[in-house]
Amino acid sequence: MNNNSVWKSKGFAAEPISEDLNLVEEIERLKKEKNAIIMAHYYQDKAIQDIADFVGDSLALAQQAAKTDADVILLAGVYFMGETAKILSPEKKVLIPDLNAGCSLADSAPAADFEAFVKKYPNHQVVTYVNTTAAVKALSDVVVTSTNALGVINSIPGDQPILFGPDRNLGNYLESLSGRKMVLWDGACHVHEKFSIDKIADLKKQYPEAELLAHPECKRPLLIMADFVGSTAALLKYSIKSDKNTFIVATESGILHQMQKMAPGKTFIPAPPLDSSCGCNDCEFMKLNTLKKVYLALNYEYPEVFVEESVRIKALRPIERMLKISEALKF
Ligand code: 13P
Ligand code: SF4
């Protein structure tokens, strides 16, 4: 169902919003009126990042969702991020701008198939990346994000076998860093897998002084080529601190907005995918969200994220375990 038919099926106005409406002012008004917080992932459109009360990576969004005292959380990101917020703060109303904002990585691990896979490895600790459905989290012993994944893996005793899913690239990368062999689910993010090594190599020739920054969801050859690998938050931090002035950035292009804001004198070049006319790599799910949809979601308090209570309780445990380990490791 597209967003317009969703509005219609709820009996909400599907008619166009007046051109005169100042969306930013209206969003600010609604935020105060409803005691709402807007939390946005780094992959969101600039306009959304700029009106958000909080912008962060997957871990920071979960940490913020667990501690906010707002009554309403508008999670500008993708569906699994809304679910994570709801699992952590069930008493709050969690809204997302577009119900169709899914995730190819989360979709690569359907819960029934993942459950059958887990059953084949009964003595394994089930470690899942946060980019999964609530139902997959409910099958897990501990959840990780790209910021804390290595720390969480290292916190598990060395003789304890691990099953990791759903991202095979992050899984391979963690194996290489930790020196541990894990049973891996064969899933991936279509955005991070489509960077073109050849085009990036050409860019490196053109900008020999540039550092290549890559997210661990990228394929192995790109990670080997990279000067620094990390989560969106880690890439941002690195680019600010580095004494280099030019960076080729291999992750979703939304992060460049914060990089440019936080290090205005530096040059950030989006790493190109195989097939793009603009030369940057966008996640079409993340980019479904617009300022107008943020306004509509806050105004109508719809679409709302729900997680079935029995699933929520099971999914909460591995997320809380991740937050506890992250706190101990000072993430
Ligand atoms: P992080 O926010 O952990 O960097 O992950 C990126 C991502 O793919 C979110 O969908
Ligand atoms: Fe999912 Fe990839 Fe989009 Fe992140 S960038 S939300 S992992 S599809």
Side-chain angles (χ1 to χ4, degrees):
M1 204 188 294
N2 71 28
N3 221 42
N4 263 351
S5 41
V6 169
W7 301 119
K8 277 182 192 152
S9 75
K10 292 286 288 183
F12 295 144
E15 66 264 17
I17 296 174
S18 157
E19 290 291 319
D20 300 333
L21 198 69
N22 183 322
L23 288 175
V24 174
E25 276 175 24
E26 283 300 303
I27 289 168
E28 286 302 330
R29 177 183 66 74
L30 288 165
K31 261 179 10 187
K32 284 196 194 96
E33 190 181 299
K34 296 176 189 249
N35 187 26
I37 181 172
I38 299 183
M39 295 171 28
H41 190 266
Y42 288 129
Y43 294 165
Q44 289 296 284
D45 191 67
K46 292 176 193 182
I48 297 180
Q49 292 190 39
D50 288 345
I51 46 111
D53 301 290
F54 184 83
V55 186
D57 70 348
S58 307
L59 175 63
L61 292 174
Q63 287 168 328
Q64 190 64 28
K67 68 178 184 206
T68 180
D69 55 10
D71 295 318
V72 176
I73 298 173
L74 184 300
L75 201 310
V78 291
Y79 195 78
F80 77 80
M81 294 175 175
E83 276 190 335
T84 306
K86 186 68 183 177
I87 290 164
L88 286 161
S89 287
E91 72 293 351
K92 301 194 192 310
K93 188 171 268 196
V94 177
L95 305 170
I96 54 169
D98 191 317
L99 268 185
N100 293 315
C103 168
S104 60
L105 181 51
D107 288 348
S108 71
D113 297 348
F114 196 75
E115 184 170 18
F117 186 66
V118 165
K119 282 196 176 133
K120 287 207 283 184
Y121 302 95
N123 57 341
H124 287 55
Q125 280 273 299
V126 179
V127 181
T128 55
Y129 193 32
V130 70
N131 298 41
T132 50
T133 60
V136 166
K137 290 185 178 76
L139 297 165
S140 310
D141 293 303
V142 63
V143 167
V144 302
T145 74
S146 45
T147 286
N148 58 28
L150 183 63
V152 172
I153 298 285
N154 286 341
S155 75
I156 299 171
D159 57 353
Q160 167 64 58
I162 296 173
L163 179 158
F164 181 85
D167 191 285
R168 59 174 172 250
N169 297 316
L170 177 61
N172 277 320
Y173 180 65
L174 292 169
E175 284 187 331
S176 70
L177 291 184
S178 66
R180 290 172 82 153
K181 194 88 196 99
M182 303 188 288
V183 172
L184 300 182
W185 177 266
D186 192 15
C189 156
H190 73 298
V191 177
H192 287 89
E193 283 219 317
K194 72 178 178 198
F195 285 109
S196 162
I197 291 282
D198 290 345
K199 289 185 189 174
I200 293 172
D202 285 348
L203 271 179
K204 291 247 320 169
K205 273 188 213 144
Q206 211 180 323
Y207 300 94
E209 74 292 359
E211 287 194 302
L212 173 62
L213 312 181
H215 194 280
E217 288 173 25
C218 297
K219 287 182 179 173
R220 190 171 171 74
L222 176 41
L223 297 183
I224 290 170
M225 201 172 151
D227 297 291
F228 181 77
V229 177
S231 64
T232 44
L235 299 182
L236 176 62
K237 210 163 147 190
Y238 181 89
S239 70
I240 297 166
K241 282 200 171 158
S242 168
D243 56 8
K244 294 285 185 320
N245 280 317
T246 310
F247 303 89
I248 301 165
V249 185
T251 188
E252 213 270 0
S253 63
I255 186 69
L256 271 77
H257 181 52
Q258 289 301 321
M259 288 174 166
Q260 272 149 359
K261 267 176 104 166
M262 306 251 193
K266 297 188 176 184
T267 304
F268 298 97
I269 304 161
L274 281 167
D275 56 347
S276 156
S277 50
C278 72
C280 62
N281 202 353
D282 278 344
C283 170
E284 64 270 41
F285 299 115
M286 286 281 183
K287 295 299 182 334
L288 277 176
N289 298 333
T290 60
L291 216 48
K292 182 171 156 186
K293 288 180 191 172
V294 169
Y295 161 73
L296 286 169
L298 272 180
N299 194 34
Y300 294 113
E301 300 187 19
Y302 183 84
E304 186 173 352
V305 175
F306 295 100
V307 178
E308 210 251 297
E309 187 59 9
S310 61
V311 174
R312 191 191 72 79
I313 305 246
K314 287 190 196 139
L316 180 61
R317 213 175 22 93
I319 298 175
E320 284 187 334
R321 187 170 159 199
M322 167 187 81
L323 292 179
K324 219 169 150 193
I325 297 170
S326 301
E327 203 183 331
L329 295 173
K330 301 205 184 329
F331 283 123

